[in-house]
Amino acid sequence: MDSVGQLLARLRGDKGLSQAELAKLVGTTANHICDLECGKPGSIALLAKLAVVLDVPLEEVWLRGNRPEP
C-alpha cells in the first residue's frame, strides 16, 4: 500500500500537475508539497485541500498516514 506521500505523488502525476502547480492550487509552497511526498506529516486542513484538488476522498489520504503498523 502506498504511503501518504506516495499516494499524493501518484495522484499529482495522474493529474499532470507539477509540485509548484499543486502548491499554488492549495495555497502552500512547492517545498511543502515535496516534504509531504517525502513522508513528512501534513495538517488535516492541508490534506483536505489536497484531497479536493486531487479528487480523492479525504479518508483515503488521512487513513494512510494514521493506520497503526501491523
Side-chain angles (χ1 to χ4, degrees):
M1 176 183 297
D2 291 343
S3 68
V4 173
Q6 291 168 326
L7 174 66
L8 293 175
R10 182 174 52 80
L11 293 170
R12 178 180 58 76
D14 291 349
K15 294 279 188 185
L17 296 170
S18 69
Q19 289 178 340
E21 291 167 331
L22 179 57
K24 187 173 183 179
L25 291 171
V26 298
T28 191
T29 65
N31 284 341
H32 196 173
I33 298 297
C34 181
D35 288 345
L36 292 171
E37 290 182 0
C38 289
K40 293 189 180 175
S43 70
I44 186 69
L46 179 56
L47 293 176
K49 290 178 187 179
L50 287 165
V52 169
V53 169
L54 296 172
D55 195 29
V56 63
L58 174 58
E59 293 82 10
E60 184 174 344
V61 177
W62 180 250
L63 290 176
R64 288 184 192 239
N66 290 286
R67 285 196 178 122
E69 292 294 321

